[in-house]
Amino acid sequence: MAAGIYDSRSARQSLGSTGSGSRRHSLLSADGHSRASTQYDYATAWGQSGGDKLSRWRRAYIASDTGDAEGVQSSLLALPDDSRFTTCMAISEDQPLLAVGSGSYDTNMFFVQSLDGQLDVKASFASKFPIYSLAFKSNLLMAGTDRNTSVLYKVDRARLLGFASENAIDDTQGEDGPLVRCVGTYKNKAVKSIDIAAPGSHVPTKRVACVEFAPAFSGSTSSPWPPSSVGANSEMFLSCLGGVINVWDATRNQQALRVEKVSGQPLERAAWSPNAPATLVAAAGVDGTVSILDLRRRGKAVTWRTQQQQQQQQQQQLDAIGVNDVAWSPFMPYWLATGSESGEARVWDLRYAAADGACVATLGHPTNYGAVRSVAWSETHADQLSTGTSDRAWRLYALHADSDDTTRTMLLADKRAAEDIGSVAAVGARGSSFYSLSSCGDLYMHQVGPQALKHAAVHRMQGAELEHVEKAVYTRDLQGAAEAVVGLVQQFKAGGDASGEHPIMQQAESIQRLCDLFKAKPRVGASAWTLPPAAIALGGESLADSTEDTARTEESKDAQAAAARGFHGDLAHVAYGLPPGYPLEATASRHPVVWQALEQLNMANLRIRLERVVKQAESSDVDAKGQPLWKAIAERERQLMQYVKAEPALFGAKLLRAAVKLVLPHDCIAGLRLGLGVCQAYLSSQRQHEHRGAEPVVTCAMLDALVHVLLFPTVFDADGSTEDSAPLAAASSREQITLDVAGVRARIGECLDACAEAVFEMVQLEISIQETVMRGGDQKRVAEDIVAVMQRHARSVRALVGSAAAEHVRDQVQLHARFPATTTLSASAVRLYLNSLLSTRAYDEHLANSQWWRMPPAAAATATAVVPRMQRQIDVVLATIKKEPLGLEPRLFRDTLLKVGRIWLSVDQEIKLEFETEVTSKDKATGASHTAVQRVRTGMEGLAAAFEEIGGAFLMLLEALTRHSSHRDAFRRAAGEARPLHEALAALVAESQQSDPQLRERGLVIRKYLRKLDHYAKNQPPEDTIDAGQ
C-alpha cells in the first residue's frame, strides 16, 4: 500500500467561486426575475397560486440554492478519485482528520486535514478492495469492503498531520514505518447464503454496509455485556452484512462475539448509542424497519421496532419506505433520527411505543425531491439536525418548541453540491463544523455562522439587551454573551427604587433566566429512562381497515399526546441555553470573562434563593419537595462563604444573620461555622480596603446582631434566675449589668470596633466547646477537655489583645487574659468552664475566674460549693501537719501551696460571701415542719498564714529528705520534689505582677518563701555541707 502524491491546493475550491467547478444556478428564475434576495417564501412558491407545477418547482429550487448564503461559509475539496465513486466518510474524534472511502479498485482511501476552515488532502492510498463504510476511533480505522470482510488499519495520525510519529514507542519501525498498515481482517457471516435472493427481495450483495466502533461502556462488572472475555484495552466494533449485525472484539478475528439477525432484508445502517451504558444499537434497512437492540439480552436482542411507511398515490395500502441512516442524539439518549427514501428525516422518542406515536418530529423541505441518504446531529446544539439527500443538498434544520405546545422545524442552512449529478453520500459533524460528501468525490465543510443561527434562538426574556444575550448564547458566542451579562448584573446591583427591596430581588426573574441560559445541564443518566414494554409495532394494515375498525383507540391517542408533550418539554429544556454535557469549563478556561459572568450569575442567584428560603421559613420548615429549609442552607455553606468573601455587601448582615439563625437550632456546629465564616469574610473585606486606603464597603461592627445570635446568651444579657442576687453580687469584682437587646448589641459593636479578631475567636471557642460536649465520653475527661480548650483560647486572645490598640476591649469588657472566664462574651461557655473546674477540683482556678463573673449563678456556686470545699481542703492539710508534720506526700504539699498561692495572688480580696437560705426543721414533740430563713456567712480568711504554715511543713519535709539517704542522692531527690513548686510559684508571681503591679506587696510572702525553697531546688548542696560530709 503506497501513499499517493497529491497537491491538495490545486483541488481546493470555494463554494462561492466562479471557476469551472462552481455552481451553475446563477441564472434568472423561470419568470425572468433576478435572484438578488436570499429570503424566499417557500410556502407561496409551492402553493397552488404559484403557476404550473414545473414553474413552482423551479422557483423554489433556485431560491433554496442561495438560501442563507451570508450565514454559512462552505469550503469545497475535490478529492483525487478518478472513479468519482466516493461512498463513505469517517471523522476522527480528537484530531482534525477525516477519512474518505471510495468504491474504486485503485486509489480508494483518502485522509483529509480540516483546519482553520480549510480542507487539505494529506495522503491517499489504494486498498485491496473497494471501501463502502468507514469508522474512526483513536488511531484505528475500520473499513467495510464488498467481500463481506471488515479490515482494521492502524493509522499514524501524527505523521499524517506533519508531527512526530505517535507509534514510535510501540512500533519498532518508528518514523520509517508505513502511515497506514493493516492489522486485522474479519470475515462477516450472514444467517444464510446471500448469493441467492428470494423473488421480490432486495438484490443480494456482499458489501459490508456499515462498520462502527463501540463507545466506552459504563455498566457494572456484573452486567452481561460486554462479555468477560473482552479485555479492558480491547476495542469492539459492529459490522452489517445483509440483515445481520456482527459484533467483534478487535483483538480476536476468528469468531464474532455476537451475530444478530435483525431483518430479512439488507441493513443500510447500524449505530451504537454513545450514551451510557452504551449497550443499545439502532439498525435500519431497505424494508423500512427501525430496530433497537439491547446487547445485554440474549436470544431476543430486539427490544423496540417500528416501520416507516407512507401512502402511495391513489392507494389505501401503506407501503414500507427504506431507511438509509440512523443517528443517536449526543445529548438526549432516547432521541433517534432516521433518514428515509421518502425525502424526510424523522425523530423518534424511544421512551414511547412505536405504535403510540414515537415519531415526534418530521423534517422535510418542499424543494427536496430525493431521498435522505444521511443524517447527523449537531455536536453543539441539541435541537439541530443536518441531512444529506440524493438531490445533492445538505440542509441544517432546527427543532423549535412553540409556546402552544407544538413542535415545528426551521431551515437554517441549505447548500447544494457543485456537480449536476450524484448525491450526498454522507454527512457528519465535529464541533461547530458540518461535513458533507457527495458521491462524485466532492467534500464540503460547512461553518454555520451567527447570521444563520440567530433566527432559531429561543427568547424568554424581554428587552433588547437580554435578547442579545440569548442570541449570543445560541450562536455559541459565549465570550460576547458573558461580557454583556457582566454589564447587566452590575446594572441590576446599582438599580433599585424606594420600596426598600434589594435591587437584585427586583431583577430576580431576569437573573434566574440568565442562569438557565448559562447553566451546564447534566447529562441524562441511564436510570432516567427505559424502553417501553411491548415496543414492537410493524405496519401492514390498510387505511380502510384502520378507519372502519377504529384501530387507534382513545388510549392510543392519549399515548400519542403524551409522547408529543414529553418531547416538547424536553426540547424546550435542552434547546434553551447550553445542551447537556456542553464543555462550558473548557470555554471558560479560554475566555476568563465567561468565568466572571458565571460567578456573577451564581452569586446573584444564590442571594435570591437565600432570601426566599428565609422568607419561606417564616411559614414552613420544609420546601416544596419536603426537604428541611435549614438543610438547604447548610448544604451550600461552602459556596455561600465563597461568594460572601467575594462580595459581602451583596448579601448583607441582616440576611446572613437570618440564615444562621435558621440553621442553629437544628445543627449547632454547622450554624456556628456558617456564622464564623461570615465574620471572617467581613473582616477580610474590611482589612483589604483599609490596606488600600479605601473606605470599607462593610465593617465588622455591622455584625453585632450576628455575634449576639452566635454567642447568645452573652454576659451582657439579663439572667433568667429568680433568686435574689443582691447579696451574691457582692462577691463579684464587676458591677452587675442588665441590658436590653439594643444595649447588648451596642456593647458587642464596641468590642468589634476595638478588636474584631478577639470577638471572632470567641465564636471559634464556642465551636470547640460544642464539639467537645457532643463527642461525649467520661464526664471527668470531658471536663478536662473543656478546661484545656478554654486555656488555649485564653492564650490566643492574650496574643490578640496584648497591643495598645486593644486597650478599649480590656476597658469595656474587663477582659483579663490570665482568667479564661473573662476572654469570651458567651455566658454558656463560661458556665461550662466553671462547672468543669468544679468537676476537676480546680477550686483555685474557679475562685480566680468567678471573681470576674457578673452573673448570680456563678456567685452562688462559689458561695455554696467552691469556697467551703477549698477551705476544707486547706483545713485538712493544716490538721494533718499539726498531727504529723511529715505525714503528707510531697505532691499534696505542692498542689495545696500552688492553689493557695494562686488564690492569694489572683483574687483581689479575700472572698467573704454572705447569703440567705431556707432551713427546714421538725418539732420532735409535734412532728410539725418549720421553715426559716437563715443567713449564712462563708469565706476564706488567713490565706497568707496558711501558706506560711504549709510552706514551712514542706521545707521540713525537704530537710528530712536530705538526711534520709546518701549525701548527694539526698539533695538530688529533694531538688526533684522542690523544683516543680519553685518554677510554678515563680511563674505565678511574675505573671501576677506583670498584669497588676498593685499585687507586688501581696507577692512578698511568696517571694520570701521562694528564696527559702531555692536552697533545695538546686541539685548541688551548699559547699560547707559537702565539706562536713567529707
Side-chain angles (χ1 to χ4, degrees):
M1 187 182 301
I5 301 176
Y6 178 71
D7 183 7
S8 59
R9 292 174 297 178
S10 62
R12 189 189 311 132
Q13 299 180 27
S14 172
L15 191 60
S17 65
T18 58
S20 58
S22 63
R23 303 193 309 185
R24 305 180 187 179
H25 301 287
S26 58
L27 306 176
L28 296 177
S29 60
D31 54 5
H33 295 289
S34 174
R35 300 178 309 144
S37 174
T38 59
Q39 302 295 328
Y40 195 85
D41 189 348
Y42 295 108
T44 304
W46 200 244
Q48 295 295 329
S49 61
D52 63 275
K53 186 174 182 180
L54 180 59
S55 297
R56 293 197 305 272
W57 177 85
R58 284 175 176 170
R59 285 196 295 271
Y61 177 79
I62 294 174
S64 68
D65 197 37
T66 59
D68 283 336
E70 75 284 0
V72 181
Q73 295 295 326
S74 297
S75 298
L76 166 63
L77 175 65
L79 295 168
D81 182 16
D82 296 336
S83 65
R84 303 182 64 76
F85 187 20
T86 46
T87 57
C88 53
M89 172 180 63
I91 307 174
S92 174
E93 296 177 341
D94 54 355
Q95 296 291 341
L97 194 64
L98 291 83
V100 178
S102 169
S104 171
Y105 278 89
D106 297 323
T107 305
N108 52 19
M109 184 185 296
F110 308 92
F111 290 95
V112 180
Q113 182 186 39
S114 172
L115 192 63
D116 297 331
Q118 300 294 332
L119 298 172
D120 295 301
V121 174
K122 306 303 291 185
S124 57
F125 302 89
S127 178
K128 185 176 181 180
F129 303 112
I131 299 174
Y132 290 95
S133 55
L134 285 173
F136 220 150
K137 185 174 184 180
S138 185
N139 63 340
L140 299 178
L141 180 68
M142 182 65 66
T145 71
D146 63 347
R147 304 298 175 91
N148 71 331
T149 301
S150 303
V151 183
L152 179 63
Y153 298 95
K154 192 171 184 179
V155 182
D156 196 337
R157 300 172 301 170
R159 288 175 60 199
L160 283 174
L161 297 174
F163 303 101
S165 174
E166 61 183 342
N167 300 328
I169 296 177
D170 58 355
D171 194 335
T172 56
Q173 295 179 346
E175 298 291 343
D176 298 329
L179 294 175
V180 179
R181 61 188 176 94
C182 177
V183 294
T185 58
Y186 309 86
K187 194 77 171 180
N188 295 285
K189 295 181 180 180
V191 174
K192 62 181 180 179
S193 174
I194 58 175
D195 293 331
I196 302 174
S201 299
H202 196 272
V203 176
T205 179
K206 292 186 178 181
R207 293 178 181 175
V208 178
C210 172
V211 290
E212 182 166 322
F213 284 103
F217 290 91
S218 60
S220 62
T221 56
S222 60
S223 175
W225 189 266
S228 58
S229 60
V230 178
N233 298 324
S234 299
E235 292 290 351
M236 288 191 297
F237 70 94
L238 61 80
S239 56
C240 298
L241 179 62
V244 177
I245 294 179
N246 293 263
V247 182
W248 296 86
D249 180 355
T251 60
R252 298 179 177 88
N253 60 358
Q254 300 299 322
Q255 185 178 0
L257 295 174
R258 291 280 288 271
V259 178
E260 292 286 346
K261 181 182 179 181
V262 180
S263 174
Q265 295 296 324
L267 296 175
E268 293 287 347
R269 183 77 169 92
W272 223 307
S273 172
N275 305 288
T279 59
L280 300 180
V281 175
V286 297
D287 62 352
T289 301
V290 181
S291 304
I292 306 297
L293 292 77
D294 191 343
L295 296 177
R296 293 171 295 186
R297 299 179 55 174
R298 278 289 185 180
K300 296 181 179 179
V302 177
T303 59
W304 191 98
R305 175 175 287 176
T306 188
Q307 191 173 49
Q308 291 198 195
Q309 301 169 325
Q310 73 174 1
Q311 181 185 2
Q312 298 297 333
Q313 194 171 14
Q314 297 179 353
Q315 293 184 10
Q316 293 182 335
Q317 187 71 25
L318 291 173
D319 292 339
I321 309 170
V323 178
N324 299 315
D325 197 12
V326 294
W328 293 89
S329 168
F331 303 109
M332 304 301 288
Y334 42 81
W335 286 1
L336 182 73
T338 61
S340 66
E341 291 289 331
S342 66
E344 295 176 335
R346 296 185 182 182
V347 179
W348 307 81
D349 192 330
L350 303 183
R351 295 174 299 175
Y352 302 96
D356 294 334
C359 179
V360 291
T362 301
L363 298 85
H365 195 269
T367 67
N368 181 23
Y369 59 89
V372 175
R373 303 299 302 169
S374 183
V375 293
W377 291 91
S378 168
E379 289 193 340
T380 58
H381 294 75
D383 59 329
Q384 291 182 11
L385 182 70
S386 66
T387 64
T389 58
S390 58
D391 61 352
R392 304 178 293 108
W394 169 83
R395 295 185 177 93
L396 178 64
Y397 297 92
L399 297 166
H400 195 280
D402 290 332
S403 57
D404 57 354
D405 295 337
T406 60
T407 302
R408 60 185 173 91
T409 60
M410 300 175 61
L411 180 66
L412 300 182
D414 182 2
K415 295 293 181 181
R416 290 189 184 275
E419 296 291 340
D420 291 336
I421 60 174
S423 65
V424 176
V427 296
R430 181 65 69 235
S432 59
S433 299
F434 294 88
Y435 300 90
S436 61
L437 174 69
S438 76
S439 59
C440 296
D442 292 336
L443 177 63
Y444 292 87
M445 179 173 63
H446 311 284
Q447 294 178 307
V448 185
Q451 292 297 322
L453 294 176
K454 65 181 182 180
H455 304 295
V458 180
H459 295 292
R460 296 181 182 175
M461 296 183 288
Q462 296 181 352
E465 292 180 332
L466 295 172
E467 290 182 359
H468 168 72
V469 174
E470 290 175 320
K471 288 181 181 179
V473 171
Y474 188 81
T475 59
R476 301 302 181 253
D477 178 18
L478 296 187
Q479 182 179 6
E483 292 172 353
V485 165
V486 171
L488 282 171
V489 174
Q490 295 302 323
Q491 291 180 21
F492 293 161
K493 293 177 183 178
D497 51 29
S499 63
E501 187 179 22
H502 196 280
I504 286 294
M505 296 303 298
Q506 297 176 9
Q507 300 290 340
E509 184 177 355
S510 297
I511 290 290
Q512 291 182 328
R513 289 289 190 190
L514 289 171
C515 289
D516 293 339
L517 196 64
F518 273 85
K519 183 187 301 180
K521 303 180 181 69
R523 290 190 178 275
V524 180
S527 59
W529 73 284
T530 57
L531 290 166
I536 298 178
L538 297 177
E541 59 182 349
S542 66
L543 291 179
D545 294 338
S546 177
T547 303
E548 294 172 1
D549 299 335
T550 318
R552 290 200 174 274
T553 61
E554 292 298 326
E555 182 179 356
S556 180
K557 292 180 180 179
D558 293 341
Q560 284 182 326
R565 287 194 303 270
F567 177 76
H568 182 276
D570 286 344
L571 180 62
H573 174 65
V574 300
Y576 189 73
L578 303 175
Y582 186 84
L584 184 59
E585 291 187 2
T587 305
S589 64
R590 295 192 302 269
H591 307 293
V593 69
V594 177
W595 274 126
Q596 185 182 356
L598 291 174
E599 289 296 297
Q600 291 289 330
L601 288 176
N602 289 334
M603 196 183 307
N605 189 44
L606 184 59
R607 202 263 180 227
I608 293 169
R609 295 180 61 181
L610 185 63
E611 181 161 337
R612 289 179 175 175
V613 167
V614 169
K615 289 183 178 179
Q616 187 178 356
E618 297 174 358
S619 57
S620 176
D621 294 332
V622 296
D623 58 14
K625 297 180 180 180
Q627 183 185 15
L629 294 174
W630 71 269
K631 188 172 290 186
I633 298 176
E635 289 175 351
R636 291 186 171 270
E637 175 192 355
R638 187 173 181 179
Q639 184 185 26
L640 179 59
M641 288 301 96
Q642 176 185 351
Y643 292 152
V644 171
K645 290 178 182 178
E647 198 167 343
L650 176 64
F651 294 87
K654 183 178 180 181
L655 177 61
L656 294 170
R657 175 176 62 87
V660 171
K661 198 172 180 180
L662 187 59
V663 177
L664 271 174
H666 305 281
D667 191 333
C668 180
I669 293 178
L672 289 170
R673 289 190 184 279
L674 180 61
L676 180 61
V678 172
C679 294
Q680 292 171 342
Y682 268 59
L683 178 62
S684 175
S685 176
Q686 180 177 338
R687 292 291 183 263
Q688 288 177 5
H689 283 78
E690 291 174 350
H691 180 71
R692 295 195 301 263
E695 184 70 21
V697 179
V698 295
T699 62
C700 295
M702 298 176 179
L703 301 175
D704 54 352
L706 174 61
V707 173
H708 190 198
V709 170
L710 295 173
L711 301 181
F712 185 83
T714 69
V715 295
F716 301 123
D717 289 290
D719 186 73
S721 176
T722 57
E723 61 179 308
D724 185 11
S725 60
L728 301 175
S732 175
S733 299
R734 294 182 176 184
E735 180 185 356
Q736 184 72 19
I737 301 176
T738 301
L739 301 174
D740 58 5
V741 173
V744 170
R745 293 180 179 176
R747 294 296 299 273
I748 294 175
E750 294 174 359
C751 298
L752 288 170
D753 275 335
C755 187
E757 293 94 333
V759 178
F760 298 157
E761 187 66 29
M762 298 173 190
V763 180
Q764 179 62 57
L765 169 68
E766 199 76 8
I767 296 173
S768 301
I769 288 182
Q770 291 296 330
E771 290 176 339
T772 303
V773 172
M774 293 184 68
R775 279 198 303 267
D778 180 68
Q779 185 175 359
K780 183 178 180 181
R781 179 62 181 273
V782 172
E784 292 173 351
D785 291 344
I786 291 176
V787 171
V789 167
M790 284 292 294
Q791 290 173 348
R792 287 197 301 269
H793 165 73
R795 289 193 294 269
S796 299
V797 172
R798 181 184 304 175
L800 292 172
V801 301
S803 62
E807 183 178 354
H808 186 59
V809 179
R810 297 194 294 271
D811 294 341
Q812 290 291 334
V813 193
Q814 297 183 13
L815 192 153
H816 301 269
R818 287 181 57 211
F819 310 103
T822 69
T823 59
T824 179
L825 301 179
S826 170
S828 60
V830 174
R831 287 193 178 101
L832 282 172
Y833 173 59
L834 294 178
N835 291 337
S836 298
L837 292 176
L838 199 60
S839 299
T840 56
R841 298 184 180 181
Y843 304 129
D844 54 332
E845 289 287 347
H846 193 288
L847 288 170
N849 282 274
S850 62
Q851 68 170 329
W852 300 100
W853 183 239
R854 62 171 62 87
M855 305 300 288
T862 302
T864 59
V866 180
V867 172
R869 293 181 186 181
M870 188 64 205
Q871 186 72 62
R872 186 162 53 249
Q873 184 175 352
I874 295 174
D875 292 343
V876 169
V877 173
L878 290 174
T880 304
I881 291 173
K882 291 177 180 179
K883 184 178 180 181
E884 188 176 354
L886 304 180
L888 288 177
E889 296 181 4
R891 177 180 58 84
L892 294 178
F893 276 112
R894 289 196 302 268
D895 291 347
T896 306
L897 284 170
L898 192 58
K899 288 181 178 179
V900 173
R902 182 176 290 112
I903 296 173
W904 178 247
L905 292 179
S906 299
V907 180
D908 284 348
Q909 57 185 359
E910 293 186 357
I911 298 178
K912 298 179 180 180
L913 300 176
E914 188 174 323
F915 60 96
E916 294 179 349
T917 183
E918 293 182 351
V919 178
T920 302
S921 59
K922 269 188 180 182
D923 190 341
K924 295 182 178 180
T926 62
S929 298
H930 300 281
T931 302
V933 177
Q934 182 178 354
R935 185 170 295 278
V936 180
R937 186 176 186 275
T938 182
M940 294 190 64
E941 301 175 353
L943 287 175
F947 183 86
E948 291 178 349
E949 186 173 353
I950 298 173
F954 185 59
L955 292 175
M956 292 175 59
L957 177 62
L958 294 176
E959 182 67 22
L961 288 175
T962 61
R963 302 172 183 273
H964 184 67
S965 58
S966 63
H967 192 68
R968 290 188 177 276
D969 291 341
F971 271 93
R972 188 176 296 112
R973 181 180 178 187
E977 298 292 349
R979 189 178 296 112
L981 179 61
H982 186 279
E983 293 175 352
L985 288 176
L988 183 63
V989 170
E991 183 181 20
S992 62
Q993 292 182 357
Q994 183 180 5
S995 60
D996 189 355
Q998 297 179 358
L999 295 177
R1000 179 179 297 274
E1001 183 179 353
R1002 188 177 298 184
L1004 290 176
V1005 176
I1006 299 179
R1007 285 198 300 275
K1008 180 180 178 181
Y1009 181 74
L1010 283 173
R1011 287 194 293 271
K1012 296 179 181 180
L1013 190 63
D1014 184 67
H1015 172 72
Y1016 296 97
K1018 294 181 179 179
N1019 197 15
Q1020 296 292 336
E1023 292 297 332
D1024 56 346
T1025 308
I1026 296 176
D1027 294 339
Q1030 293 175 347

